[in-house]
Amino acid sequence: MSEDHTTAAHQSVLSMLWPMLIIAGMAINLRPTLTAIGPLLDDITATTGLGLQAASLLTVLPMLCMGIFALLLPWLGRLFSESVWITAGLVAIALASFWRLWLNDSGALIASALLAGTGIAIVQAILPGLVKRWYPQRVPLAMGGYSASLMAGGGIAAVISPLVANHQGHWQSGLGIWLIPALIALLLWWTRPRENLHISDNSVKINFFTNRRAWLLACYFGLANGGYACMIAWLPSYAQELGWSAQDSGELIGIMTIFQVIGALAAPALSAGRLDRRPWLFFAVGIQLVGFCGLMLAPELMLTSWVAMIGYGLGGCFALTLTVTLDHLSSPKLAGALTAFVQGVGFIVTAVIPYIAGALRQWSGSFQTSWLMVIVTLTFMFLVTVTFSPSRYAKAMNLTAA
């Protein structure tokens, strides 16, 4: 092969991989704000005086932000360009992390969660549409890469944050360290490929609020993430009740994340050859059911194994649910708008679940009732999965013009 051909081949590979590196760099920043809290929760509550219900706001508020902003995106998106919104989102995440380096009271900590949650909401609402636009022929694989990066960021934070906190001697450094990947993501975003956008459906406005399939997808997505929110909010505390240390309980989140990443990459790859994703969705939901039943009934027996099963199911379910949502519409613009709606309603549903789980724990004195609640939601999801037949997508998306 000539030198020119070799250079062209390298440039072609780079042109394919560089956008995914940018997507991954941003996605890594979408979970550390949430997952870094759990392993440090005892130290945080001891310093700030946060109670169990107030501590749940550190997870609930960012989730609510994710939902509310995604719902408002069709209107807010007209105010500024996509570039400005994503830049603003990454700056908000960076500022929240910087603020956490020195705060020491509960009000400031909750406010930082709100600021970070707003930034996460902005970036997260836009990214799936960007994935479909940059990789129109490889949506399942690209969505798997995005999902795996998002989950990897969460797991890395759960492991590294207590290590940094122990080394520096205070929990603030364990939360503030995530300023660095936010700044890296900003640099990556500013180097993105230039695009010539000629989107034929700019004038089309869709009202997903009147579409039953959009609501079903949103509730499904919300419940799918509810189990994840409960795990990152309460698994470290649950493990510590069973005698695990703060460091070891954080590593449990890390183990869960490893299997999340595997699930997020494997499930879309296995389903890439056909449009019907239901067999893999059934498996992703089913393995979570097994894991949560084990978590509730026999935690001391195989805690790590139950967490691994749950992680694999969560990873596959997240990636496949977003992929199924994008599958419903061929236009990147409309599919992105549908995904924003699904995430908007979905994350509001998700935000409520760990709060209810905390209330159940406080009421019953045991996390078993919290895991039972998740098992009920997974059973509902298992039954609903059968309705996601590709042959029904066109009829299901009989959209009403706004």
Side-chain angles (χ1 to χ4, degrees):
M1 183 180 289
S2 68
E3 184 175 337
D4 288 344
H5 286 162
T6 301
T7 302
H10 288 164
Q11 289 175 342
S12 177
V13 171
L14 183 61
S15 68
M16 286 298 299
L17 293 181
W18 186 248
M20 180 49 65
L21 181 61
I22 296 169
I23 290 167
M26 291 190 287
I28 284 171
N29 286 276
L30 301 182
R31 290 298 177 269
T33 297
L34 304 177
T35 59
I37 294 291
L40 300 173
L41 191 57
D42 284 350
D43 291 338
I44 291 170
T45 54
T47 303
T48 63
L50 273 175
L52 199 61
Q53 287 299 98
S56 69
L57 292 176
L58 299 175
T59 300
V60 170
L61 284 177
M63 292 285 186
L64 282 175
C65 289
M66 293 177 205
I68 293 168
F69 182 85
L71 287 178
L72 296 176
L73 183 63
W75 295 274
L76 294 178
R78 301 169 192 167
L79 299 177
F80 303 105
S81 68
E82 178 184 81
S83 177
V84 170
W85 278 117
I86 289 185
T87 299
L90 292 172
V91 167
I93 296 170
L95 287 175
S97 298
F98 183 63
W99 188 9
R100 287 180 163 188
L101 283 171
W102 65 71
L103 58 80
N104 57 12
D105 66 272
S106 58
L109 184 59
I110 291 172
S112 74
L114 190 60
L115 176 61
T118 301
I120 292 166
I122 293 169
V123 178
Q124 186 168 261
I126 296 172
L127 269 181
L130 198 65
V131 168
K132 178 140 185 163
R133 193 170 81 228
W134 284 358
Y135 292 95
Q137 306 304 318
R138 297 178 174 85
V139 171
L141 295 177
M143 190 55 66
Y146 159 68
S147 303
S149 301
L150 180 149
M151 293 161 189
I156 291 168
V159 174
I160 290 182
S161 287
L163 288 175
V164 172
N166 289 338
H167 184 265
Q168 296 296 320
H170 51 86
W171 56 265
Q172 289 90 340
S173 59
L175 302 183
I177 189 70
W178 303 106
L179 165 68
I180 296 172
L183 294 177
I184 293 172
L186 267 173
L187 293 175
L188 287 171
W189 175 242
W190 291 335
T191 66
R192 69 191 181 280
R194 295 291 174 247
E195 301 176 83
N196 292 317
L197 297 178
H198 299 286
I199 301 174
S200 61
D201 54 8
N202 274 334
S203 62
V204 178
K205 296 180 179 66
I206 299 299
N207 181 12
F208 292 111
F209 285 91
T210 63
N211 185 264
R212 289 196 301 175
R213 175 52 62 91
W215 280 97
L216 182 63
L217 286 166
C219 292
Y220 192 94
F221 180 80
L223 295 178
N225 283 279
Y228 173 75
C230 285
M231 290 292 277
I232 62 172
W234 303 122
L235 178 63
S237 296
Y238 184 52
Q240 288 170 36
E241 285 185 1
L242 297 172
W244 293 55
S245 68
Q247 180 63 46
D248 289 342
S249 68
E251 289 175 0
L252 264 183
I253 297 290
I255 290 168
M256 182 182 78
T257 303
I258 291 170
F259 283 89
Q260 274 185 290
V261 170
I262 294 170
L265 292 172
L270 290 171
S271 71
R274 54 186 292 182
L275 192 57
D276 192 346
R277 322 283 181 194
R278 287 178 297 174
W280 293 272
L281 268 175
F282 277 126
F283 181 76
V285 175
I287 197 171
Q288 286 182 75
L289 273 170
V290 174
F292 275 106
C293 286
L295 206 62
M296 181 179 72
L297 299 174
E300 296 90 350
L301 183 63
M302 298 169 52
L303 183 58
T304 303
S305 298
W306 305 136
V307 169
M309 289 180 188
I310 292 167
Y312 185 91
L314 287 170
C317 208
F318 181 89
L320 287 170
T321 302
L322 285 178
T323 302
V324 166
T325 301
L326 292 172
D327 286 343
H328 274 71
L329 292 163
S330 59
S331 159
K333 181 179 176 64
L334 296 181
L338 174 60
T339 306
F341 175 85
V342 166
Q343 290 187 98
V345 174
F347 277 117
I348 292 172
V349 173
T350 298
V352 175
I353 292 177
Y355 189 81
I356 294 174
L360 288 172
R361 162 66 179 83
Q362 195 160 340
W363 168 73
S364 68
S366 167
F367 277 110
Q368 269 65 21
T369 52
S370 304
W371 307 138
L372 178 60
M373 178 193 67
V374 178
I375 289 168
V376 171
T377 65
L378 286 168
T379 303
F380 172 77
M381 288 175 61
F382 197 86
L383 296 174
V384 168
T385 300
V386 72
T387 64
F388 296 143
S389 170
S391 64
R392 301 177 186 173
Y393 287 172
K395 183 177 181 181
M397 299 311 299
N398 182 22
L399 301 171
T400 302

